[in-house]
Amino acid sequence: MPSSCSSLSSFASTLDSFDYHKPAVSTSHPRRGCGSVWILEQDSLKDMPANIQVMQATGCTNAEAVRLLEKTNGNIHKAVACLPGKDEWDFNLPRVKVPEKSSSAMDYEDGFSTRYRTNLRGYEFTSSESNGHDTDDLSLDKLVADVQRGVSCTVIRSQLTRFRERMGPDKTCQLLNGLVKGFPGLFYVVQSRNVEMVKMWAEYGGDVNTTYGKSKFPLIAYAIVLGTSYATDTTALLKALLSAGASVACIPEAFHTPLSRDLMDDGPPIEESGEIAGEHQKWCSPYVRKRLTDTLNFRFEQRYFLHRAALLGRLSGAKNQVAKLHKAGNLLGIYYNLIGQTAAITHVIDHFISHLALQRQKQEQKQEQKSKPMVLLFAGPSGHGKTEFARSLGKLTSRDLETVDCTSIRYETDLWGPFHPFQGWENGSALSNFLENHASQECIAFLDEFEKTKEEVRESLLKPFDEGILPSRKNPKVKVDCSRTIWILATNAFDNIIHDFCKRHASDLFSDNPGEKGKKLIRNLSKMIQKESIEKLGAPLSGRISEFVPFLTFSPCEQAAMADRLLADFGCKIIQPVKESTVPSQARLVGDLNVQVRRSYSVCRVLVTDGYIPELGARSIANTVNRDISLPVVNDYLDKRERLHENQGRCTYVVGVNEDDMIDVSEAPRN
């Protein structure tokens, strides 16, 4: 079979005698999603010109086939991968209309039910409207239509809540997992790129492992292929699906393992993708492989989280039961909020769930003594996720969080406020007011830069840590119950120990799968920090800390993933349209800029090779991205323009690595 043609113009004589409407093989031949694999199987095609083979595989016109062959230098396989096959899905979903005679509260078009013509984004249903009429006829078609129309998550959640109350969880789950025009409902939600809607759909029973069609096209793969630029980035969608339990087993492993490389333009090498020829062949066609590759080469962070998900185990049914009972069912989402710190996350989740399982319920306590709260010490260098971890823990477990910057805490009155009747007693402090407002409730107190505190401040924490009780400063007779508070102390006091440990054990700590050896190393490091804590923080306080959680420096792949995330933050910001205004705070003069990253792993690897400083963590990577990419793009953009205005058209900047292994930034020529 010829792989290229020497002169595309020489096809004319062949084209005149060829019937393009008649397939070269029987139309009963199964060709769905087979692409170039199908070409290889057809003996009747191997002597035909390249453009005819492309036309037969994809169903495109002759002009399109010639264009694709020119684009791919005559390579038939690459040309075929640029278009879906004749019977292959092109990733478009049909528009869905709300059925006529519907009383859905989600339709806001002119002329529809007047009682719902309000601002739907802030809409609250009244009790008079909750008479069952608009839930009896609730259908998946209505929900999908309103998702496509952009109806807010609040409105749809209200509908689903009343439907579940009336019909039960099983019926709700059955409703959400139905088909609309042949596609599962959750595919339409993913198409909307509304992350909160995806989370809500999963919360109410939507199956994040659903598939489409006979080829069983996975939802998670659909989320990936939709993200072709920063304007349509789907990394947040992917993380939401993984957090909700989406399996990566359906994605061929070669797309994310090994992690430390870019993918070839057409996908992983065939010799590494033998699995595609079997179970995955039906949906993972050459066209799909190329679309997956385009996104994963553009957003390395997505490959990083696919790789992490493939290595992680799942929570047992019993642990899930405990977590959901205490409104902490989304705990696994922490793995997909943070880059790195897998050991720290696992450490905290295990301890957290065990603590919840043993926590006595208030109504079962027949004595005044309260259970001890959980006290965690987060030890690690600045910029490696301690604060982000605390915030994620609060958000994902539905617990309010209060952050205290200990650099400004000199005396215990700075932490708690003065006692009555001293001046200012009635105002309390941010922390004491928070604990009083959350007495006997599950919440989180995060004390950052804790090593800056003095002994006086640390002594004032002994009673709350040990007994779960805080004497009120406003009324000495009142004792505030903080036994259900999670205390997190973040510190950089043990950086030297952690830096030295990471250097000595890098090969074991930062391997793809550290296993039991890695876990043992982390336990040893935790014990080292505990012993050192006695000297730095004192024995009384150290003895009341439940767990010492070490935060490691970033591995090379984690550094690259962080660089990709920071680069995406910049790309998503400047792709927004230019907005003129005489008010500086309302103007956006740098905009309509599309940044295209070619082979993001290579770009990010070069950025962090000299740009990552372990003592500074993500901050050093942010500075490097700003210096090597953000500033060159913005300065070049401003230098080439005399005036910035709205509707000026979008320009593209290409970021890659040159022959000298250095970052190259250039504006692409406009068509």
Side-chain angles (χ1 to χ4, degrees), residues 343-391:
I345 297 171
T346 303
H347 198 135
V348 171
I349 287 179
D350 288 346
H351 187 81
F352 183 75
I353 293 180
S354 297
H355 177 78
L356 293 178
L358 296 174
Q359 190 178 64
R360 290 177 295 177
Q361 299 298 321
K362 186 176 180 180
Q363 60 269 27
E364 295 177 352
Q365 295 179 358
K366 298 181 180 180
Q367 52 195 28
E368 294 185 0
Q369 182 182 2
K370 305 299 181 185
S371 59
K372 291 184 178 182
M374 183 166 67
V375 183
L376 305 173
L377 183 98
F378 284 5
S382 175
H384 285 85
K386 300 188 296 295
T387 302
E388 188 179 2
F389 193 154
R391 290 173 180 166

Side-chain angles (χ1 to χ4, degrees), residues 427-448:
N427 297 324
S429 72
L431 179 60
S432 62
N433 293 338
F434 173 79
L435 293 174
E436 288 186 22
N437 293 333
H438 292 79
S440 303
Q441 298 178 27
E442 294 173 330
C443 59
I444 299 175
F446 179 63
L447 309 186
D448 200 11

